[in-house]
Amino acid sequence: MNCLETPNTTQDRAKTLLQTPPNMRPAAIILTHRRAKTFTTRKLLLDLGWPWLIYLLVEQRDPDLPEYKRLYGDEVLIYDREQVEVDYFDNNGPTSVAVHARNATNDWCRKLGITHQLQCDDDLYGCHLSTELNNDLRWLYHWRVSRLPEWCQHYLFPYVCLQLWQLIDRVPFMRAACIGMSSDCAGEVHLTRRKVMQAILISQRKPITFSARFNEDVTTYVTLNSLGEVTPEFDLIVQQSKPTQVRSGGMSNEYKQVGTYIKTFYTVLRWPESITIADLGLVWRIHHFIRPHIYPKIVPPTVRKPD
């Protein structure tokens, strides 16, 4: 914080920065399961200066539901997975999977009048400027952001969310957006990835229905982008999450039950001509590999060179 700034001026600056348009009612919805005392995303959002509502979406059969209610009261939203319509891509398998929760957020947004949601996994614990992770200062705006006043960096996360929501509403072919993932920023910084996972920004003016019993996020964003409905990953700031398939709760048990190969194969079923199963880069693990040609890259007529 600048030595001439007081806490009050900091808060006033933040309020100006985060002025919500009157036609917007944003909220964060955390999808959580069997982690009433261990999930980390709510604390992270509060630490990042999140100024809007926060809800926890819990399935009514969750054994931790009484504890969620005791700890978080009215923030807890309950859904019944049997009442949520889902295309599983198969005929049988575990039913305590995340795709129900993702689609249930649309119903709750309608009930509560939420116009824009940040749909979060429950294991996020950190968020940083991407330059802090890899020291890649080639991008001028990264250099500028890394030198903003401390108060601005603190509220940068909700400010970025607000701007991306408005961008989704304004751009006809933009369907959703995602806060960058630290695993994607281990090397160079990219601004053209078309993936949405873990912290997904959605406008309820363009609601999204997820499909597939497993890997529902990947399957859905690949499908949208293949149709020209872009879902960019914004990696100026990046989120950090706990190791997947290791911690108790969440979907770890379901992943272990079916195995990573089967989990990944649901996306292959949807796009067998463009997606294969491969090993995952630095740490060997079976994962999907998306061939870039599946995403159309069409130059608008307004910017094409004359024939």
Side-chain angles (χ1 to χ4, degrees):
M1 185 184 299
N2 188 295
C3 61
L4 299 178
E5 292 179 343
T6 67
N8 289 335
T9 60
T10 298
Q11 294 174 4
D12 291 342
R13 284 175 177 267
K15 288 179 182 178
T16 302
L17 191 70
L18 296 172
Q19 280 186 340
T20 308
N23 63 338
M24 288 183 67
R25 180 179 165 83
I29 302 180
I30 303 170
L31 316 182
T32 182
H33 183 57
R34 294 180 299 188
R35 287 176 177 164
K37 292 184 177 180
T38 60
F39 81 98
T40 53
T41 304
R42 182 178 182 276
K43 180 181 183 303
L44 172 65
L45 291 175
L46 295 175
D47 290 344
L48 292 171
W50 187 261
W52 303 296
L53 298 167
I54 298 177
Y55 292 106
L56 314 179
L57 188 62
V58 185
E59 212 277 325
Q60 67 175 16
R61 296 169 183 78
D62 191 320
D64 283 4
L65 180 57
E67 191 68 5
Y68 280 113
K69 288 182 176 179
R70 184 184 72 82
L71 293 172
Y72 303 106
D74 293 339
E75 291 184 16
V76 178
L77 307 178
I78 303 171
Y79 71 98
D80 181 357
R81 61 177 178 250
E82 292 185 357
Q83 301 300 317
V84 181
E85 293 187 8
V86 172
D87 182 356
Y88 293 114
F89 292 4
D90 64 8
N91 294 324
N92 56 72
T95 56
S96 55
V97 288
V99 64
H100 301 104
R102 294 199 186 280
N103 289 343
T105 61
N106 292 327
D107 294 331
W108 273 110
C109 285
R110 283 192 292 269
K111 292 176 184 177
L112 298 173
I114 295 169
T115 60
H116 299 79
Q117 63 161 309
L118 172 65
Q119 189 180 111
C120 299
D121 291 358
D122 64 0
D123 55 356
L124 307 182
Y125 71 92
C127 185
H128 304 282
L129 295 174
S130 54
T131 53
E132 293 178 353
L133 290 177
N134 57 22
N135 295 317
D136 187 348
L137 299 178
R138 291 176 302 163
W139 305 97
L140 180 59
Y141 48 83
H142 282 206
W143 184 90
R144 288 173 178 167
V145 169
S146 66
R147 285 156 178 77
L148 287 173
E150 183 179 340
W151 67 266
C152 190
Q153 291 194 34
H154 177 72
Y155 291 100
L156 182 62
F157 180 84
Y159 176 73
V160 167
C161 290
L162 184 61
Q163 297 305 310
L164 288 175
W165 278 323
Q166 293 177 319
L167 194 62
I168 293 169
D169 286 338
R170 289 198 301 265
V171 179
F173 55 82
M174 188 171 173
R175 190 64 180 272
C178 175
I179 300 301
M181 300 171 61
S182 57
S183 58
D184 290 338
C185 297
E188 297 180 352
V189 174
H190 298 274
L191 297 175
T192 55
R193 284 193 185 87
R194 303 188 185 188
K195 63 184 294 186
V196 286
M197 302 175 69
Q198 297 184 330
I200 308 174
L201 292 150
I202 300 173
S203 169
Q204 292 308 121
R205 298 177 180 122
K206 302 177 182 179
I208 294 176
T209 300
F210 291 82
S211 302
R213 192 179 299 274
F214 292 103
N215 240 29
E216 76 290 335
D217 45 6
V218 178
T219 303
T220 301
Y221 77 66
V222 170
T223 300
L224 290 173
N225 282 282
S226 70
L227 299 173
E229 300 187 42
V230 179
T231 62
E233 177 185 0
F234 183 86
D235 56 8
L236 168 59
I237 54 176
V238 295
Q239 49 168 310
Q240 292 177 293
S241 61
K242 303 284 186 179
T244 182
Q245 304 177 35
V246 176
R247 301 175 62 222
S248 61
M251 284 186 58
S252 297
N253 292 341
E254 287 72 21
Y255 287 149
K256 292 175 183 177
Q257 179 181 339
V258 302
T260 307
Y261 183 90
I262 298 297
K263 166 189 173 290
T264 304
F265 207 82
Y266 279 85
T267 306
V268 179
L269 284 173
R270 180 65 180 86
W271 296 101
E273 76 282 8
S274 302
I275 299 177
T276 59
I277 293 177
D279 64 311
L280 179 64
L282 300 176
V283 180
W284 191 90
R285 179 162 65 88
I286 292 176
H287 205 255
H288 56 266
F289 175 75
I290 303 172
R291 294 188 174 93
H293 70 257
I294 193 172
Y295 298 152
K297 297 178 177 63
I298 303 171
V299 178
T302 53
V303 297
R304 290 180 188 168
K305 292 182 179 180
D307 296 334

